[in-house]
Amino acid sequence: MKNYLLSVYQPDGPTPGPEVLGPIMTTVAALKEEMRAAEAWVFDGGLFPPDTATVVRVTDGDVGMTDGPYVEGKEHLGGFTIVRAADLDAALEWGRKLAAATTLPIEVRPFQ
């Protein structure tokens, strides 16, 4: 079994209100329980908005830090789930389910 990162990309802007987010989070919680029951769930977490990020970069031996995300975009990494799956097809199935639950794009990537 390999571990796969399911990255959740969300649009920049304000968080949707509880009338939108509530039902989504209920569906995500049910999917998480399904993952646990299948012994696929390893770890997950949500992230604060990109403006809370600090980028640490080494240039010519000097370490510098800047506030905010390292790239400008219309989407940002909002959270992630790590699953254990037999192969890429199984991980993609979890990715499909997570995309349906969150209504957001999911990137599926294997760990080395």
Side-chain angles (χ1 to χ4, degrees):
M1 293 275 225
K2 289 179 90 171
N3 288 340
Y4 293 84
L5 175 66
L6 309 182
S7 301
V8 180
Y9 291 104
Q10 64 187 62
D12 288 339
T15 302
E19 69 283 352
V20 173
L21 202 53
I24 291 171
M25 295 312 296
T26 299
T27 305
V28 169
L31 177 58
K32 183 175 175 177
E33 286 308 311
E34 181 183 347
M35 288 176 174
R36 284 179 188 235
E39 298 183 353
W41 182 87
V42 176
F43 181 75
D44 68 11
L47 300 172
F48 283 103
D51 64 354
T52 64
T54 302
V55 177
V56 180
R57 180 175 288 131
V58 176
T59 306
D60 297 326
D62 292 327
V63 178
M65 289 186 239
T66 56
D67 292 335
Y70 61 92
V71 295
E72 293 289 326
K74 295 180 181 177
E75 295 179 327
H76 61 272
L77 182 63
F80 63 90
T81 298
I82 298 172
V83 295
R84 186 176 303 110
D87 54 30
L88 179 59
D89 288 337
L92 288 171
E93 182 58 27
W94 288 120
R96 280 190 282 278
K97 289 181 178 188
L98 188 57
T102 62
T103 70
L104 296 171
I106 306 298
E107 177 185 309
V108 178
R109 188 183 297 189
F111 280 85
Q112 289 188 7

